[in-house]
Amino acid sequence: MLELFPSFTKLAGATLPEEVIYDGFDFLPVLAGEVSSPRKEMFWERRDQQAARIGNYKWVKSSRGGGLFDLDSDPGEKHDLSKSNPEILSQIKQRFRDWKSEMNASEPRGPFRDY
């Protein structure tokens, strides 16, 4: 979803303002098989839910549960690795905080200005 707006903008022949920070990127070259995806990280936050995906690790925090998961060996997210890999968990949480600070510092756009 993050890549839709930049990709549709490119398809329409428009350009994105350079001073605005976007979560997504133009995904068209990836779809065409010209390049590999540059995305190495993804972050989410919605109400009481937070999540981050960095490499093969995914961290989830919500009122319904969560944990740290290695999606290469556990794509069903059944085995929480939080206690056995506290250093990885700490790094992912720090990167999430960094991302959140970056997004909070960027200019709100569109209908989200007063959100």
Side-chain angles (χ1 to χ4, degrees), residues 92-112:
I92 291 174
K93 285 182 171 182
Q94 181 59 53
R95 185 60 196 106
F96 180 88
R97 287 189 295 272
D98 293 344
W99 167 80
K100 189 162 168 77
S101 292
E102 182 181 339
M103 291 298 106
N104 286 338
S106 65
E107 177 189 352
R109 301 173 294 281
F112 302 108

Side-chain angles (χ1 to χ4, degrees), residues 16-102:
L16 297 170
E18 292 182 21
E19 67 276 4
V20 176
I21 298 172
Y22 296 93
D23 283 344
F25 62 92
D26 173 14
F27 200 64
L28 298 174
V30 176
L31 290 176
E34 298 168 1
V35 298
S36 297
S37 174
R39 182 168 302 288
K40 306 295 182 222
E41 303 177 331
M42 289 189 73
F43 303 95
W44 303 265
E45 183 169 47
R46 182 173 182 267
R47 297 186 181 134
D48 69 338
Q49 301 172 15
Q50 297 177 332
R53 166 94 190 256
I54 300 176
N56 57 306
Y57 287 100
K58 180 179 176 184
W59 165 70
V60 178
K61 177 185 171 191
S62 78
S63 59
R64 296 180 284 172
L68 175 67
F69 306 97
D70 181 344
L71 298 180
D72 281 349
S73 62
D74 181 20
E77 301 176 22
K78 304 287 185 202
H79 307 287
D80 182 3
L81 302 174
S82 297
K83 291 185 175 153
S84 61
N85 290 291
E87 66 287 341
I88 292 173
L89 179 62
S90 177
Q91 291 170 1
I92 291 174
K93 285 182 171 182
Q94 181 59 53
R95 185 60 196 106
F96 180 88
R97 287 189 295 272
D98 293 344
W99 167 80
K100 189 162 168 77
S101 292
E102 182 181 339

